[in-house]
Amino acid sequence: MKYYQYFFIVIRALVILQTVLVLSGKFTTEPHTKLVIDSLVKLGIGAFLFFFFLLNEIPGIDPWDAFIIRFAGVVLMLNIDFRGLIDILAIYSPELAQHFGFLKSIQRA
């Protein structure tokens, strides 16, 4: 199997797990949970777009089109709410949140 197929298997397993948790009533709908899940999805898809089109040449796709797709992956990763993630991290581990405080400078509100 190719490496990107493993990525999709993990994504499928996470969707199945989330579906089971929702149906069983054990899934929480707190804003913190939604923010973390949203950030992980954006990070996963953005990193996949960037690295897949960086490492593979696909016949029929112009190099500039691959560049635009890679850029879309970077934009998706930069669209993560780093301030919210640092605030959540500060609740659970203030020392670790101080080390990642520089991520707040990526977004200006």
Side-chain angles (χ1 to χ4, degrees), residues 3 22 62 71-72 81 100 106:
Y3 66 92
V22 167
D62 188 47
F71 183 71
D81 183 13
F100 289 109
I106 292 175

Side-chain angles (χ1 to χ4, degrees), residues 82 85-104:
F82 290 110
L85 287 176
I86 299 299
D87 292 341
I88 292 170
L89 189 60
I91 293 171
Y92 297 106
S93 176
E95 301 85 22
L96 192 59
Q98 288 177 345
H99 294 302
F100 289 109
F102 70 93
L103 289 175
K104 286 187 176 183

Side-chain angles (χ1 to χ4, degrees), residues 7 40-52 69-70 72-77:
F7 175 77
L40 289 175
V41 167
K42 287 179 182 178
L43 180 68
I45 293 173
F48 176 78
L49 286 174
F50 181 78
F51 287 114
F52 182 78
I69 294 171
R70 287 193 310 262
V74 171
V75 168
L76 189 61
M77 288 186 286

Side-chain angles (χ1 to χ4, degrees), residues 55-85:
L55 301 174
N56 297 312
E57 281 194 30
I58 299 174
I61 292 185
D62 188 47
W64 283 104
D65 293 338
F67 175 77
I68 290 172
I69 294 171
R70 287 193 310 262
F71 183 71
V74 171
V75 168
L76 189 61
M77 288 186 286
L78 289 175
N79 197 21
I80 294 172
D81 183 13
F82 290 110
R83 289 182 185 270
L85 287 176

